[in-house]
Amino acid sequence: MKTNVVAHRDFRIATIDARLYSSFLEHLGRAIYGGIYEPGHPSADEDGFRRDVLDLVRELDTPYCRYPGGNFVSAYNWEDGVGPRSKRPVRLDLAWRTREANQIGVNEFVDWCKKANTKPMLAVNLGSRGLDAARNFLEYCNHPGGTYWSDLRRKHGWSNPHDVKLWCLGNEMDGPWQVGHKSAYEYGRVADETAKAMRGFDKSLELVVCGSSNSDMKTYPDWEAEVLDQCYDSADHISLHMYFANREKNTLNYLARATKLDRYITTIGGVIDYIKAKKRSKKTIGISFDEWNVWYHSNQQDKEILARDEWPDAPHLLEDVYNFEDVLQVGGILNTFIRRSDRVRIACIAQLVNVIAPIMTEDGGAAWRQTIYYPFYYASRYGRGTALQLVVDGPTYDSDEENDVPYLDVSAVHSEDGRSLTFFAVNRHPNTALDLDVRLEGFGNARVIEQVEMTHGDLEAVNTAARPGTVAPVNVDSAKIEDGRLRTGLKPLSYSVIRLSV
Amino acid sequence: MKTNVVAHRDFRIATIDARLYSSFLEHLGRAIYGGIYEPGHPSADEDGFRRDVLDLVRELDTPYCRYPGGNFVSAYNWEDGVGPRSKRPVRLDLAWRTREANQIGVNEFVDWCKKANTKPMLAVNLGSRGLDAARNFLEYCNHPGGTYWSDLRRKHGWSNPHDVKLWCLGNEMDGPWQVGHKSAYEYGRVADETAKAMRGFDKSLELVVCGSSNSDMKTYPDWEAEVLDQCYDSADHISLHMYFANREKNTLNYLARATKLDRYITTIGGVIDYIKAKKRSKKTIGISFDEWNVWYHSNQQDKEILARDEWPDAPHLLEDVYNFEDVLQVGGILNTFIRRSDRVRIACIAQLVNVIAPIMTEDGGAAWRQTIYYPFYYASRYGRGTALQLVVDGPTYDSDEENDVPYLDVSAVHSEDGRSLTFFAVNRHPNTALDLDVRLEGFGNARVIEQVEMTHGDLEAVNTAARPGTVAPVNVDSAKIEDGRLRTGLKPLSYSVIRLSV
Amino acid sequence: MKTNVVAHRDFRIATIDARLYSSFLEHLGRAIYGGIYEPGHPSADEDGFRRDVLDLVRELDTPYCRYPGGNFVSAYNWEDGVGPRSKRPVRLDLAWRTREANQIGVNEFVDWCKKANTKPMLAVNLGSRGLDAARNFLEYCNHPGGTYWSDLRRKHGWSNPHDVKLWCLGNEMDGPWQVGHKSAYEYGRVADETAKAMRGFDKSLELVVCGSSNSDMKTYPDWEAEVLDQCYDSADHISLHMYFANREKNTLNYLARATKLDRYITTIGGVIDYIKAKKRSKKTIGISFDEWNVWYHSNQQDKEILARDEWPDAPHLLEDVYNFEDVLQVGGILNTFIRRSDRVRIACIAQLVNVIAPIMTEDGGAAWRQTIYYPFYYASRYGRGTALQLVVDGPTYDSDEENDVPYLDVSAVHSEDGRSLTFFAVNRHPNTALDLDVRLEGFGNARVIEQVEMTHGDLEAVNTAARPGTVAPVNVDSAKIEDGRLRTGLKPLSYSVIRLSV
């Protein structure tokens, strides 16, 4: 089985926005408490942040981290999380039926971001609250001082403004499960007015409005058209979310679903262009794909936890243990974002620690890399620069849901300094190796720097605290360059990164 | 004049929901202050509750009591009524133009309910407030402890949660007089989102959404269709209200109006079925007829009180003094609820003490039973079990508003233990006795236990503090059973209860 | 050039509402701070109010003064401006990007009004807030005592209620620039519910709802139709705003724009009649033209101040320095209001001090009369009584925007006591004097009391602190009465007031 590819230096998709490799931390399960924050942990620093987790997060080099939700934000009072810890109220979180002691709030999160070498992307609550709470939150975070809210922040111990530039206006407001769920018109209106008030404070903010929670929503894609019709001028990005599952245990069907992600982006891209024309606007709204991942392994366990109806603190919710198969899926998702970097300017893996996350921890114990950590790591590290528009010619298959799905899922990124070229490749074929033959055009002399491969005899293999290295990349050297062609074999059901110097 | 009736054990309408005999107490006039609560009164208990009133309420055996409004609730801050009494704010109630000192709030009301052998049916404010205040109120009432709101309740002296299961989402939101009045769409939306947030706390709550304030509202019955279209899935009951008057002093017209009540229930039953089908729902929304009574005697007096424009404390508002004629009307209303127990699951007489109420008090003085106390007492006591579907064949009349109104208004209830059968009968004829002939089928040997009759030479006769026994039931023994037939005479303009052992 | 006029005692337009000469003070620039209030100023009284400004305001005899905005009000919390000054929060005003220290609030403003011989016309915030804050504000201001909010006012030192009868429900809610901007339907709904709640407190309030911000708004005049459709019954007046500019420096075009003002009033008058008929109402909603003036001189300077992006305190914003040409325009505007006193019941010059205002001050220095002070002064003083329906026959011109614009702009007012008759006349002709010939009918013997004239060789002449008398009225005596005819010459580009005793 063979696939021919042409990669030409001048045939570009877009300059990749580094924010494609952003992440997400919600007050949910053990993402915050027992995840990034565990004061009694052996590795905890002076602020109670786990150093072992910080190390793993820094390694991922994730430019922005979305916070504090997710569904959580839609009934969240940001004021609960500031001021002396002993006076912060304990709340019931209606989204995840959890007790929230508010020991971490915006100030601590911003501190953590600095340590994690990332930046905050903050969400305001447009569910149970609106414009007024949002503008106060913004002033609290970003004004230097001399006003009620900014002086309160200073009094709380943060004399410098946080200077948060990227804001989400609510979360999944199309979802009937959302506290204060809204119709597209209702949401578009409140988003527009909130956005204008926030810009009244600072014109230069980047504001993300809610698109669909997934492309199977009944309101999709009318939602996006109506919302943008209401707030095209005041918004910068529209948010999309999507999660992937392999409940029926059919690998080919599962891996084909990246195609659906691509179609989702295409559709909303079209909606953006339509409303842009209608508004006679010069600005093109971007896509912020600020929740994406595989999510299904923990569903049954979550059902049981929630059925206990006991309002626990930091329960083991959404703790998907990822297997090797998910490496291939996450690799395909990231390839899609790279290929659609013409539209997608921000993407946040959901989430970062413990909750459907690449990093897992034990309370009081170890932190380790889940299987999906690796494709995210490689994309974040080498997927910055210019996305190339490849010509791909190879065999395809029909899944139950999609036709003409290529066995080879591939993307290529020309680095910012122009000196390296990286291919990210997934061979979806269950039992046949794939001969990859890439014609390199316009790059001059190329040389293989490194070839990394992930494959495993057991699709269900996972990493655990006890065996954290079960699924891990290895270096191989099958790739050769000859006559301007890169040739290598890709094993069945494998994920590969091939880095060239050019 | 004769009416033949067939009562068959197996021809049933429905199992009667005991909540048909619920009641209502609003912060209005002297319902609370000087009604259930009067600390200086000779009969006051250690909490300031009048024991004489409690005795009369317990005698009525009313399963639920709606609180705190009514129109009052639509500008009410529930927090005003909790915490140390001396610190509770004095507010202006815009609904009834009264000063409200908030000396009774939800905690005291729940205490009173326990003493009165009833349970609270609480209303949240969807007029001047919304989802956020509602969820806080719910958490304050029902969460055991360990969170801000539940710990506040504990601090206020109520360590156990109130466990309130029945909640009204606003009051008469279709009425332009309501503070924060809404269109059907607006209300349906806010009710749906509030209901979902409240269920986020406790799935098992029973939630009542507002239907029409009466069947003459301009928006009736489109209101119900639109509201249910917005919140069918999140609601359990839809509320209807209706009041009766005999302003033109025409008894036959007046008593015929129970027919309108029946048609009202039929219409909204149809709307429920329509939206149920549209939503492909398995659930049938019930009717909560949570305000009903005769109301007109006090109108002129109220106009004068309100014209004084002085924001009084606990004024003598809505203090209808009921006459004997109203006994017949209330008997007919209760018969209608029994016959429509297929739809009506909750009904609240409005109200319980002083304000259009069966129980009346003097400040510092007596408490007594108004005329309408008695039909409510008998229905509450003997109207539980299974409502029978009677065949009734007898003479009718045409009123100015209704055709074919039967002179005999009758319902029959087979008790829960199956051992007794009770007929509630009103002879509407102004001057002719009615021969009642009931064929009893499927009951075996029947025996008359008791026959109670209310009649009076003066339709305008009333009970007062000085003469509390002017209008009262008497025992009679005209009823005979022979050959499986119950036969008795019903005097003109009389109310009768005939109880059989079967 | 000659214009013949007929003035007949019995041909009347309407009784002029004295509130036509109302004014406006917003928390904007130096209107409040450094305008009416400057504690360190040599003329400051014990409350910090500038006596020099008070003298000039009293001279204008302005019956009502609108407060506190304007755009400012739509994100204003009225509670910020009450209580001990040292505890009042410093806020960021998003409308004008200014720091607001809240040293003046409603109580101080009401005190100032008393000193200025005017009355407050207060605006509630319907941008970032709604019904609930409005009813609290109202109770704080107007309730004598014995409730939470009224006792708070008493505690703050104002034991007597302010008794504010005239209220604006929001400001320019049709403007996308407004914080919490609304659609016509959204605004009409919130205005209606807020109005009803406010009337629940006091039926006798006069309530002004927002019409268009100007007649070039995209939503004009549908806005007025929809808003009134929602709240015709609960409102008393609809607000219109309009500002005038001569950016292209074409005097004839500029002065012709009063015609557009007249058409604006005519159009909204028609909308009022249309909705009145639709609502079967007996009440005719009035027009409250509560922002009007010339505004353009300061635009460039304001752009520069706002570009500094520094959140200044009381910056020199909107400090138009008016020239002589503006006297003619303001004279024409006031003539229009007099002629349209059948519709316009309230008009507020925007604003009163420093901010596009007839009165200008230096910080720590002088206060003086701008050019436009004079036509406002004369109209306020002599423009009360009955507006006469004049027949005017004279030459006209076509401007770039309007056809048939008369060179003579004239109005006539018969005083309340019936003993004097005043003509306000503008000769718009750039270089030709105008012979005015008025036939006086039904007035008996007339005598000229006074003739005042404003003219200047330089249209751009202005008054400054150093030369406050550059543009000022002078007394002339060219007017003669003979055979029941008033005859006088009106100089080119002149403003005249001719007062007769009759």
Side-chain angles (χ1 to χ4, degrees), chain C residues 151-260:
Chain C
D151 287 346
L152 189 62
R153 185 199 66 238
R154 296 170 68 93
K155 196 179 133 204
H156 290 160
W158 281 263
S159 57
N160 291 322
H162 298 325
D163 200 28
V164 178
K165 290 296 190 185
L166 188 56
W167 293 82
C168 302
L169 302 184
N171 171 72
E172 294 187 354
M173 298 309 299
D174 65 325
W177 59 82
Q178 200 74 199
V179 175
H181 159 237
K182 296 191 167 43
S183 74
Y185 175 79
E186 291 167 348
Y187 173 68
R189 289 289 296 120
V190 77
D192 190 40
E193 297 307 325
T194 303
K196 288 190 296 182
M198 291 175 77
R199 290 202 191 288
F201 174 81
D202 179 357
K203 273 184 216 58
S204 72
L205 299 176
E206 276 189 84
L207 302 178
V208 183
V209 297
C210 296
S212 289
S213 297
N214 61 68
S215 60
D216 296 323
M217 296 296 293
K218 275 203 305 189
T219 47
Y220 166 86
D222 282 342
W223 173 274
E224 282 83 354
E226 177 66 40
V227 166
L228 289 179
D229 203 22
Q230 296 302 325
C231 65
Y232 196 91
D233 292 337
S234 61
D236 297 294
H237 307 276
I238 189 158
S239 154
L240 300 180
H241 292 179
M242 191 173 191
Y243 289 99
F244 298 84
N246 183 14
R247 292 200 177 80
E248 78 279 27
K249 292 293 163 196
N250 178 323
T251 303
L252 280 173
N253 277 350
Y254 180 45
L255 298 182
R257 288 186 185 127
T259 308
K260 187 172 176 179

Side-chain angles (χ1 to χ4, degrees), chain A residues 29-102:
Chain A
R30 298 190 308 126
I32 304 294
Y33 306 109
I36 64 166
Y37 177 71
E38 193 178 345
H41 192 274
S43 86
D45 68 10
E46 69 287 358
D47 293 326
F49 294 126
R50 285 181 65 153
R51 283 195 186 87
D52 55 352
V53 171
L54 275 169
D55 287 343
L56 291 170
V57 172
R58 271 193 301 262
E59 192 175 273
L60 285 179
D61 193 12
T62 179
Y64 278 83
C65 186
R66 190 166 164 251
Y67 175 88
N71 296 341
F72 174 78
V73 81
S74 293
Y76 177 61
N77 299 338
W78 67 266
E79 303 91 329
D80 293 349
V82 299
R85 271 192 169 122
S86 63
K87 296 198 170 166
R88 298 188 193 171
V90 177
R91 300 289 188 195
L92 296 181
D93 165 31
L94 301 178
W96 304 104
R97 296 185 64 78
T98 302
R99 261 168 35 126
E100 171 57 56
N102 285 301

Side-chain angles (χ1 to χ4, degrees), chain B residues 456-473:
Chain B
H456 203 285
D458 180 6
L459 282 172
E460 310 252 346
V462 300
N463 293 341
T464 62
R467 296 170 175 272
T470 306
V471 178

Side-chain angles (χ1 to χ4, degrees), chain A residues 131-132 135 139 143 145-149 185 189 192-193 196-197 199-203, chain C residues 75-77 89-92 94 97 99 128 176-183 186 311:
Chain A
L131 181 161
D132 204 42
R135 67 158 173 154
E139 186 178 326
H143 199 63
T147 67
Y148 176 81
W149 288 113
Y185 175 79
R189 288 289 297 120
D192 190 39
E193 297 308 326
K196 288 189 297 181
R199 289 202 192 287
F201 173 80
D202 179 357
K203 274 183 216 59
Chain C
Y76 177 60
N77 300 338
V90 177
R91 300 288 188 195
L92 296 181
L94 301 179
R97 295 185 67 77
R99 261 170 33 127
S128 65
W177 59 82
Q178 200 74 199
V179 175
H181 159 237
K182 296 191 167 43
S183 74
E186 291 167 348
W311 301 98

Side-chain angles (χ1 to χ4, degrees), chain B residues 34 37-42 44-45 47-50:
Chain B
Y37 177 71
E38 192 178 345
H41 192 274
D45 68 10
D47 292 327
F49 294 126
R50 285 181 66 153

